Amino acid sequence: MSARAAGPEARAGLLMAAPAVVGLAAFVLVPFVLAFGLALTDLRLGSPLPTRFVGLHQFARVLTDPVFLRALLNNAVFAAVVVPVQTGLALAIALGLDRPLHARPVLRTLFFLPVVLPFVVVAVVWELIFAPGPAGPANALLHLVTLGHWAPVDWLHDTRYALGAIAVLSVWQGLGLQMVILLAGLQAIPRTLYEAARIDGAGPLATFRHVTLPGLRNVLVFTVTITTILAFRLFDQVRILTRGGPEDATTTALYEAVAAAFDRQQVAVGSAMTVVWFALVLAVTYGVRRLARGRGRT
Amino acid sequence: MRGRTRIAAALAAALGTALVAAALMLPAACTRKEAGAPAAAKGAEPVTVWYHTGRPDERDTLKNQVADFNGRQDRYRVELTLIPEGGYNAQVRAAALAGDLPDLLDLDGPLLASYAWSGLLVPLDDLLPEATRADLIPSIVAQGTWPSGSDGRLYGVGTFDSGLGLFADRAAFAAAGVRLPTSTATAWSAKEFRDALAALAAHDPDGQVLDLKRNYRGEWFTYAFSPLLVSAVADLIDRKTLTAHGTLDSDAAVGAMTEVQRWIQGGYVDPNLDDAAFVRGRVALSWAGHWEYGRYHDTLGERLAVLPLPDMGHGSRTGQGSWQWAVTAKAKSPEGASAFLAYLLEPEQVLAMANANGAPPGTRTATARSPLYGPQGPLRLFAEQLGTASVPRPRTAAYPAITDAFQRAFADIASGADVKEALTRAAAAIDRDVADNHGYPVSGTP
């Protein structure tokens, strides 16, 4: 390729990338740099006192704050449970739908529906499902399934169950997105590979391991990455249903950052929390990618 | 804004775009500008007014008042902008950073001190006519005065206040044989209240007899339950020294909150997920504000009784405070803003608003003439409580941190946490915020 030909092409490329790059810079890069800058001060929303530079004091403060550490732990536990469960379930449903079914469009829509429901609606429904007492649907169902051995619990106000309850509804709501992406990935695997596997005498399990999974690898890596980021972003459910309680059992890093910056007007503290959170998500995402790439080489 | 360096101002402005941007986008998109009277005189001085989109009846009344005010005089022309309640405070704060506040705006009562401390408001003492100020009920004056104490000035004025108490179903109480206290002097003691719950529960199929509005979110818990602390001779903070340690985590506070925990953990409290525990007859007692009177009265009629909150030892106490009007420091027309505010405080206008939203009127004249709160009104208890048994939430710029800490503590206590531990943690969080702000010096410099 000659330099002459590359010129206009490169320019066109830059031109086409420009809207996205400008958007990323304005809404991700600049706010992050600003947040980092704010985290080095003692800025407080609406304070008439002069803002002072305090160095890394706010970082030391949030990293020794038991509530924020609990929030990070909750984030980690939530992601460690939700990412494999949600991806696994989404894959299972996608596999089930990846066959010539008349009802496929209908089923696909049904599984996708929770994704497009506004969370405020979802919250109302699940708050009722998790209603305390024997009449609450979740308690009633478990009572039925365990043949009467289940003692009713107050799901959202019990330190033992609150995070689990939020994980369940999050999986239910997020599932559809992964399912649709994985289904598209499944349909992109050439049918000829399956025919060749059948001729070679491979059973369903061997076909899954040696044809489906390798064919789906990139899509799976993408799905896991996206799910991990979304899991760490956990906020809406907590804000609407539990406000981080009871006893910080459901608080998350983002919830704490918003509570600090907007509920308590401690902008610098909130900024420090978002910087820590962002660095953590970046590290985890990078880790997931490294893991996936490493496996790909072997 | 004095004492603020240029860098700090730049940071603050940047903050407006960075952190508040998301919060702003939605409210900004649905902010509606209400046109002033189209036929307004050309020479009239514009007066910009912001109001939170509260209840539809409140909004419509204010729109009528704006049109009426613009029509009856031609010196000022009020331009009203309605801003959704959800993002109201964030939007006002962001506008303040951008130097973009209107002449007159309304604020949720307990946040007033925070705005006044920020230097965003001007005192109304010299702006409002003497007669208008003299007509205000004491609770409105108390809530709008900052700092509390003798050197306080009036920064905010509500045209209505709020009333908090217990709503009871007389029939259920008659069946259980429990007396109904109807004045603050005869309020139930903590023990009597516990006994009443037990007696009612004996006649109730699921044993849940009390609604604490646990379905509400946020400010409700501080508004509705911090009066219990004062009744037990504790408080959210020591109002003189601004410290929470020794007050919020005192034995008296622990005792009062342990009492609340007993009601909830004892199974007496309905979770009220549908906000209909009382109107559906599931409970006989509802801890609620004046805004529930209409709905409750429609359902229960003459069976509805209005009672004071239980007495935790040193007299029944209750909440107070609602949205308040304030004139901003950068108002282009403070005279126009206060002229409109004085108009809103005329007895007919106070009554028009109070009749529309059902809240206790903010002036003595209007209270005397109110069908709900007047001497013969069914809610006269609420009017009597205001200024005698009602407690303003702490008027300090630390309030956002105070209420956040107490709400968390309340939620933890309600779900069974150790009361002393929860309150100690809340007190520490408040004290740290006060220390971070160098004790919130009133002069503006530490």
Side-chain angles (χ1 to χ4, degrees):
Chain A
M1 202 188 285
S2 75
R4 244 175 152 190
E9 254 181 50
R11 227 175 297 154
L14 279 177
L15 204 68
M16 282 186 240
V21 170
V22 169
L24 278 175
F27 295 110
V28 178
L29 194 65
V30 172
F32 179 74
V33 172
L34 283 175
F36 189 73
L38 292 177
L40 300 176
T41 70
D42 65 353
L43 183 68
R44 192 182 180 283
L45 201 56
S47 171
L49 305 178
T51 303
R52 291 182 317 181
F53 178 81
V54 296
L56 297 175
H57 169 78
Q58 306 291 10
F59 289 100
R61 175 175 167 168
V62 301
L63 288 174
T64 52
D65 176 5
V67 180
F68 187 66
L69 294 179
R70 177 65 195 268
L72 290 178
L73 178 71
N74 287 343
N75 268 128
V77 170
F78 183 82
V81 172
V82 163
V83 173
V85 170
Q86 195 168 333
T87 313
L89 277 175
L91 183 59
I93 296 171
L95 284 170
L97 289 180
D98 184 32
R99 60 191 69 199
L101 289 172
H102 281 300
R104 186 161 73 186
V106 177
L107 289 172
R108 203 174 43 198
T109 309
L110 279 180
F111 282 114
F112 195 71
L113 205 59
V115 178
V116 292
L117 283 179
F119 188 75
V120 182
V121 177
V122 173
V124 171
V125 172
W126 280 88
E127 193 164 28
L128 292 176
I129 290 177
F130 288 133
N139 281 328
L141 179 74
L142 284 167
H143 183 82
L144 197 76
V145 170
T146 59
L147 304 171
H149 290 286
W150 179 260
V153 298
D154 189 352
W155 295 97
L156 297 171
H157 297 107
D158 190 315
T159 46
R160 289 165 299 174
Y161 300 102
L163 190 60
I166 285 188
V168 168
L169 84 91
S170 303
V171 168
W172 174 82
Q173 201 194 13
L175 198 59
L177 184 66
Q178 277 91 334
M179 188 271 297
V180 165
I181 296 170
L182 290 172
L183 189 58
L186 283 174
Q187 286 167 352
I189 300 173
R191 298 288 123 175
T192 47
L193 291 179
Y194 285 104
E195 280 163 29
R198 200 164 53 229
I199 290 165
D200 289 346
L205 209 67
T207 311
F208 177 73
R209 266 195 65 188
H210 299 291
V211 179
T212 311
L213 272 189
L216 211 53
R217 208 185 67 87
N218 285 339
V219 178
L220 262 179
V221 170
F222 172 76
T223 317
V224 168
T225 312
I226 281 285
T227 316
T228 310
I229 293 173
L230 289 179
F232 271 91
R233 218 189 56 182
L234 178 63
F235 173 76
D236 313 17
Q237 294 91 315
V238 173
R239 180 78 175 185
I240 296 180
L241 290 173
T242 62
R243 296 228 156 197
E247 293 177 69
D248 305 324
T250 61
T251 192
T252 68
L254 268 196
Y255 179 78
E256 285 303 322
V258 170
F262 295 106
D263 294 347
R264 300 195 295 270
Q265 310 194 336
Q266 298 157 345
V267 173
V269 178
S271 299
M273 287 177 178
T274 54
V275 170
V276 170
W277 173 81
F278 187 78
L280 201 77
V281 170
L282 211 61
V284 170
T285 313
Y286 182 73
V288 169
R289 280 194 61 98
R290 276 292 294 267
L291 211 68
R293 214 175 270 171
R295 256 191 215 146
R297 274 198 207 105
T298 53
Chain B
M1 295 288 161
R2 81 203 112 103
R4 183 177 264 177
T5 66
R6 188 176 291 188
I7 295 167
L11 271 178
L15 160 85
T17 51
L19 276 166
V20 191
L24 265 180
M25 275 171 206
L26 197 86
C30 33
T31 296
R32 278 172 301 156
K33 188 139 203 154
E34 302 293 334
K42 281 223 172 89
E45 196 174 313
V47 176
T48 48
V49 176
W50 286 4
Y51 192 72
H52 76 285
T53 45
R55 305 161 46 135
D57 37 18
E58 218 168 276
R59 202 159 60 215
D60 294 341
T61 307
L62 186 66
K63 279 192 216 166
N64 290 340
Q65 288 171 325
V66 168
D68 181 41
F69 179 77
N70 286 344
R72 71 146 81 167
Q73 50 79 46
D74 50 15
R75 249 194 98 182
Y76 306 110
R77 190 182 69 255
V78 168
E79 291 165 1
L80 177 66
T81 303
L82 294 172
I83 298 171
E85 185 169 349
Y88 188 80
N89 190 42
Q91 188 156 355
V92 171
R93 279 286 176 194
L97 286 175
D100 226 9
L101 287 178
D103 295 322
L104 183 70
L105 53 79
D106 80 328
L107 300 166
D108 199 359
L111 299 178
L112 185 90
S114 173
Y115 280 85
W117 185 64
S118 302
L120 299 174
L121 310 177
V122 287
L124 302 171
D125 306 76
D126 304 325
L127 285 173
L128 282 180
E130 172 78 46
T132 305
R133 278 185 287 126
D135 196 26
L136 297 169
I137 59 172
S139 58
I140 290 283
V141 175
Q143 191 77 56
T145 301
W146 181 83
S148 46
S150 54
D151 54 349
R153 307 199 65 186
L154 188 68
Y155 279 93
V157 173
T159 62
F160 53 87
D161 209 308
S162 65
L164 172 73
L166 286 160
F167 292 91
D169 179 352
R170 288 181 198 279
F173 276 80
V178 180
R179 111 190 141 87
L180 284 176
T182 45
S183 70
T184 47
T186 56
W188 284 311
S189 69
K191 183 178 178 306
E192 282 175 308
F193 189 69
R194 220 182 304 141
D195 293 344
L197 294 180
L200 289 167
H203 291 75
D204 191 283
D206 65 355
Q208 295 182 342
V209 293
L210 175 64
D211 165 28
L212 294 179
K213 296 284 177 200
R214 289 193 71 194
N215 57 313
Y216 284 5
R217 295 278 182 269
E219 186 60 24
W220 163 253
F221 299 99
T222 316
Y223 170 76
F225 299 101
S226 64
L228 288 179
L229 299 175
V230 180
S231 174
V233 208
D235 206 339
L236 291 165
I237 52 162
D238 181 318
R239 302 203 182 206
K240 287 208 181 66
T241 62
L242 277 194
T243 44
H245 178 63
T247 304
L248 181 55
D249 53 1
S250 65
D251 290 345
V254 172
M257 295 314 291
T258 305
E259 203 61 44
V260 177
Q261 189 179 50
R262 260 187 226 153
W263 309 333
I264 297 170
Q265 295 290 312
Y268 295 123
V269 179
D270 189 293
N272 196 33
L273 295 175
D274 57 354
D275 202 20
F278 191 67
V279 289
R280 294 240 170 101
R282 291 204 307 270
V283 299
L285 208 49
S286 177
W287 196 293
H290 68 264
W291 54 89
E292 284 290 25
Y293 174 75
R295 193 163 69 114
Y296 286 3
H297 186 258
D298 288 347
T299 318
L300 275 83
E302 291 307 302
R303 272 164 52 203
L304 182 69
V306 182
L307 323 175
L309 297 184
D311 175 356
M312 290 286 135
H314 294 76
S316 169
R317 290 286 180 274
T318 190
Q320 68 166 61
S322 188
W323 288 74
Q324 302 189 75
W325 289 106
V327 177
T328 66
K330 290 208 175 141
K332 289 191 194 73
S333 176
E335 298 79 17
S338 49
F340 180 58
L341 184 51
Y343 159 81
L344 292 179
L345 288 166
E346 287 172 11
E348 297 75 32
Q349 303 313 322
V350 172
L351 267 178
M353 183 55 94
N355 290 342
N357 68 5
T363 63
R364 298 172 205 269
T365 321
T367 303
R369 283 162 49 184
S370 160
L372 282 177
Y373 297 93
Q376 301 304 321
L379 292 176
R380 61 185 179 280
L381 172 72
F382 287 170
E384 285 160 18
Q385 286 180 343
L386 290 172
T388 55
S390 67
V391 191
R393 283 158 280 173
R395 286 156 291 160
T396 152
Y399 190 75
I402 294 173
T403 187
D404 180 74
F406 183 74
Q407 286 168 31
R408 280 181 179 224
F410 187 90
D412 291 350
I413 289 166
S415 58
D418 183 87
V419 177
K420 176 82 184 169
E421 214 174 286
L423 291 177
T424 305
R425 220 178 70 168
I430 294 168
D431 287 344
R432 184 152 79 164
D433 180 78
V434 173
D436 283 347
N437 288 280
H438 314 286
Y440 289 99
V442 169
S443 60
T445 42

